[in-house]
Amino acid sequence: LTDNSSLFQFLQLDYIQSTDEQIYTALSNTFLHNMDYAKEINSACKDANVNPYYVVARIIQEQGTKGGSTWKMESKGVTYYNLFNIGASGNSQTEIWNNALATAKDRGWTSISASIKGGISTLNSYINAGQNTQYLNKFDVEPYAGTYSRQYMQNIEAPKNEASKMYSCMTNAGLLNQKLNFI
């Protein structure tokens, strides 16, 4: 397993015991490299029983390491956050941005903390519907809630790319020697 990070797209996404410092390290070289954000992510993941390295990998997949155009958006003097690009779809950059903003407004994501908790809740809705690997987030082939009806994103390379990011974070945290469940 240590030679093939793409296998991690099949890792079950339950919470993996982690310290805030490990999550802080996983956020290195990103726009969220801050101990408060690390604590927020780790705490929210523990409460939701979601792997925090999956969350970090998903944020990096969606926003890059410097933060994309939808992580922080201004509208009528209010700042909204959409770290996971939830609702960010459309046929043009403007439409994608407007839809991401509308989702953040609708869900009240006026802080990074609210976006983290709300985003993890959305991710958890996939996990609880049986799509509990990165692969199944993208390719809904499990019969629990109906096959082929839910996909988190359109990017066909996302499960492999996120798996690589998650593998790297978990390797750096020294977590590959514990029991891991692959589906």
Side-chain angles (χ1 to χ4, degrees):
L1 291 178
T2 58
D3 294 333
N4 194 345
S5 64
S6 66
L7 289 174
F8 277 69
Q9 66 188 300
F10 304 104
L11 179 67
Q12 185 172 340
L13 298 175
D14 291 347
Y15 183 76
I16 292 177
Q17 188 63 42
S18 303
T19 66
D20 296 338
E21 290 76 16
Q22 287 171 314
I23 305 306
Y24 176 75
T25 299
L27 293 169
S28 293
N29 301 313
T30 73
F31 67 103
L32 291 177
H33 190 229
N34 174 299
M35 184 54 85
D36 290 335
Y37 301 147
K39 289 177 181 178
E40 187 73 42
I41 290 169
N42 199 25
S43 175
C45 285
K46 189 173 189 177
D47 290 345
N49 191 34
V50 175
N51 183 323
Y53 302 98
Y54 157 65
V55 169
V56 169
R58 178 61 52 93
I59 292 171
I60 294 169
Q61 177 72 29
E62 294 291 349
Q63 298 297 338
T65 57
K66 297 187 186 322
S69 64
T70 61
W71 85 273
K72 181 179 181 181
M73 302 166 284
E74 304 285 332
S75 176
K76 298 180 183 177
V78 179
T79 302
Y80 296 93
Y81 300 86
N82 194 336
L83 296 173
F84 298 89
N85 269 341
I86 295 170
S89 62
N91 295 318
S92 69
Q93 288 294 87
T94 301
E95 188 178 4
I96 291 167
W97 190 88
N98 285 336
N99 288 335
L101 175 62
T103 299
K105 281 182 173 182
D106 183 55
R107 297 183 184 192
W109 293 345
T110 56
S111 68
I112 290 177
S113 176
S115 181
I116 288 170
K117 289 177 183 174
I120 290 170
S121 177
T122 299
L123 295 176
N124 210 13
S125 73
Y126 285 82
I127 293 168
N128 289 335
Q131 293 174 264
N132 56 350
T133 69
Q134 290 173 337
Y135 182 86
L136 291 174
N137 273 190
K138 168 61 185 151
F139 302 104
D140 183 13
V141 295
E142 55 67 45
Y144 177 78
T147 52
Y148 318 119
S149 61
R150 292 172 44 111
Q151 69 176 13
Y152 183 85
M153 66 178 73
Q154 295 180 7
N155 182 350
I156 198 163
E157 291 288 324
K160 182 181 175 196
N161 294 340
E162 287 182 33
S164 178
K165 290 173 182 68
M166 187 168 67
Y167 172 82
S168 178
C169 290
M170 290 178 66
T171 299
N172 291 341
L175 298 174
L176 297 186
N177 289 330
Q178 67 177 296
K179 180 181 175 185
L180 300 172
N181 189 30
F182 292 83
I183 299 173

